[in-house]
Amino acid sequence: MNAGKPRTLAIIATLSGNLVEWFDFYIYSFCTIYFAPAFFPAGNSTAQLLKAAGIFAAGFLMRPLGAWFFGRLADRQGCRIAMMTSVLMMCGGSLLIACLPTYAQIGQAAPVLLLLARLLQGFSIGGEYGVSTTYLSEVGAKGRRGFFASFQYMTVAGGQLLALLAVAVLQHILSDAQLRDWGWRLPFLLGGFGALIALWLRYSLNEIVSEEVRARPEAGTLRGLLQHKRSVFIAFGFTACGALTFYTFTTYMQKYLINTAGMPPKTVSLLMINAIFVCLLLNPILGALSDKIGQRAMMIIYSLLTMLCTIPIMQILRTVSNPYIAFGLVTSLITILTFYTSISGLLKAELFPAEVRALGVGLPYAIANTVFGGTAEYVALLAKSIDIESSFYWYVTAIALMSLCISLTMPDLRQQGYVKNK
């Protein structure tokens, strides 16, 4: 692709859909404290959050299937059609949640329909990451691929940030009773209509992988993917740690500060908005750094700091009441996380050749996210419910140790011809 305007427009179109998809996906988590009683009326607040987190985790069960479907579609038919389809499905899931009747209106059918909507969104987001990452890795200019690819996870953080902003705005203009009654539906409506705009933007994209590559027999197939077992293992291992820490330090952190530290929801929302904004700003900076020092060095820094800092910082946060101290501690964890998020997409894309790149990036990512990311909140809340909350911090630390071992033994992806010759 030529430099300049075509590249910029392609990046904007790709990122717009990614931003909307992640907004739609995360607004569920940030609105849980308001709509959980409407779908799960029995039990205390922790029990209600646990049930809602179970449905959040269930949405991840569809991600491997979505990654396989959209990865195969992108590798064989092109990224454009795959990205348009995924954002359209996310739109449908969000609008469905916005219109769902409550438990009081239709009984047990309400949480069942909520589950079905989350499964649809999980299927969509399962394909979005691999396909959009593949597209951005191909669009990036030589020597600046880390910088360009870092914007992919910026939209993940941006989606979270917009979701938090939507909740914060509603908290200031609506009463708590209004939020629990009907206000929580508004962000889902906003996300659904935003997806339609992203769909229109993606319609203008050009394909970047040649028809010759897409016509290869192994293109988009599991058989072709399994010819690169080491790459699959590396992608899975890094995503396991990245997903677990991402959901722990961002989405679960909101509930942790409210449910464990006892901080007011409005304070926590503002705190998390600012902390995630730091993550958003750091991504391109660290992406550019990766172009200088390489992705292996970035992963060693991320894994080592996560292993050393998670337990002490989470323990301190349990008793912190000062929002400024809490902000500093949460921002420290998110800064560590950004060493991973800034290079996550490009790191995995460079592990695989073009004919299986979307599938290779998406499928290990989706499986690891299902096992480790989608269950993070559930495992953390379960540990709290049985009074062993600190065991969750040790769990995160153990997975970080695994990531460090993989980082120390992985090849240097800056070597010319690595993907082509492996």
Side-chain angles (χ1 to χ4, degrees):
M1 176 173 290
N2 295 328
K5 187 175 180 181
R7 176 181 288 123
T8 301
L9 292 177
I11 291 173
I12 291 173
T14 303
L15 294 179
S16 66
N18 208 35
L19 179 70
V20 170
E21 288 228 29
W22 287 109
F23 172 88
D24 288 352
F25 196 75
Y26 285 123
I27 198 66
Y28 176 97
S29 179
F30 295 134
C31 287
T32 297
I33 58 175
Y34 296 110
F35 71 71
F39 293 95
F40 310 101
N44 57 34
S45 60
T46 299
Q48 290 172 338
L49 289 174
L50 192 58
K51 291 175 183 177
I55 287 185
F56 184 81
F60 281 75
L61 295 177
M62 294 297 289
R63 290 177 73 160
L65 184 58
W68 169 79
F69 174 83
F70 286 107
R72 180 179 175 84
L73 181 64
D75 286 331
R76 297 180 73 88
Q77 303 297 327
C79 290
R80 174 177 170 272
I81 185 65
M83 287 193 290
M84 289 177 62
T85 306
S86 69
V87 78
L88 184 61
M89 292 182 67
M90 181 60 75
C91 171
S94 291
L95 293 179
L96 177 59
I97 293 176
C99 300
L100 279 180
T102 65
Y103 186 92
Q105 294 171 317
I106 61 172
Q108 194 62 42
V112 171
L113 290 174
L114 180 63
L115 173 61
L116 290 176
R118 288 300 294 175
L119 293 178
L120 179 63
Q121 289 187 316
F123 186 86
S124 168
I125 209 72
E128 174 65 23
Y129 177 84
V131 179
S132 62
T133 294
T134 297
Y135 198 89
L136 287 174
S137 70
E138 297 288 347
V139 168
K142 186 177 181 180
R144 301 186 67 197
R145 285 159 62 83
F147 172 75
F148 281 106
S150 69
F151 286 90
Q152 195 276 343
Y153 239 103
M154 275 190 71
T155 58
V156 179
Q160 280 193 317
L161 182 62
L162 288 177
L164 278 167
L165 281 171
V167 172
V169 169
L170 290 175
Q171 286 172 337
H172 281 83
I173 64 177
L174 299 177
S175 67
D176 187 75
Q178 289 174 318
L179 276 169
R180 294 178 185 276
D181 185 29
W182 55 268
W184 61 266
R185 298 179 185 273
L186 298 178
F188 290 102
L189 284 172
L190 177 63
F193 288 116
L196 294 177
I197 297 174
L199 177 66
W200 176 74
L201 289 172
R202 286 185 166 186
Y203 183 78
S204 64
L205 290 175
N206 296 317
E207 292 299 343
I208 50 176
V209 177
S210 67
E211 291 186 14
E212 179 184 356
V213 171
R214 288 186 270 133
R216 293 173 183 173
E218 66 272 23
T221 66
L222 292 175
R223 177 176 56 83
L225 178 61
L226 292 177
Q227 294 176 13
H228 311 280
K229 293 184 179 67
R230 185 184 185 190
S231 294
V232 171
F233 174 76
I234 293 173
F236 178 88
F238 282 156
T239 304
C241 187
L244 178 60
T245 53
F246 185 85
Y247 287 100
T248 299
F249 299 160
T250 57
T251 57
Y252 175 65
M253 185 62 70
Q254 182 209 30
K255 298 175 183 62
Y256 184 73
L257 293 175
I258 296 172
N259 214 28
T260 297
M263 297 181 69
K266 290 184 180 180
T267 300
V268 171
S269 292
L270 291 174
L271 185 157
M272 292 303 300
I273 286 171
N274 286 283
I276 292 176
F277 185 67
V278 171
C279 173
L280 189 149
L281 294 179
L282 283 175
N283 262 276
I285 297 173
L286 294 181
L289 176 64
S290 74
D291 288 325
K292 305 295 183 182
I293 69 174
Q295 294 139 19
R296 179 175 180 269
M298 297 285 286
M299 287 304 300
I300 291 173
I301 295 170
Y302 155 72
S303 303
L304 182 61
L305 290 178
T306 300
M307 187 179 69
L308 295 177
C309 298
T310 297
I311 294 174
I313 290 180
M314 293 295 283
Q315 290 282 17
I316 294 171
L317 280 170
R318 294 184 65 175
T319 57
V320 167
S321 57
N322 187 308
Y324 296 102
I325 296 176
F327 169 75
L329 293 171
V330 173
T331 302
S332 297
L333 290 175
I334 291 180
T335 299
I336 294 170
L337 174 66
T338 308
F339 277 89
Y340 164 79
T341 61
S342 60
I343 63 164
S344 170
L346 181 61
L347 168 64
K348 295 160 194 170
E350 292 194 342
L351 288 168
F352 299 96
E355 64 268 18
V356 292
R357 185 162 291 147
L359 183 62
V361 172
L363 189 57
Y365 170 86
I367 295 173
N369 255 284
T370 299
V371 177
F372 296 95
T375 60
E377 285 193 21
Y378 190 87
V379 172
L381 288 166
L382 182 62
K384 176 178 175 58
S385 70
I386 56 177
D387 296 323
I388 55 169
E389 189 170 28
S390 62
S391 64
F392 179 71
Y393 321 148
W394 286 96
Y395 166 56
V396 175
T397 301
I399 300 300
L401 175 60
M402 177 197 69
S403 177
L404 178 62
C405 292
I406 297 174
S407 302
L408 293 171
T409 57
M410 73 174 288
D412 187 348
L413 300 182
R414 291 176 296 174
Q415 295 174 359
Q416 288 189 354
Y418 169 74
V419 170
K420 190 178 297 182
N421 296 329
K422 74 178 186 303

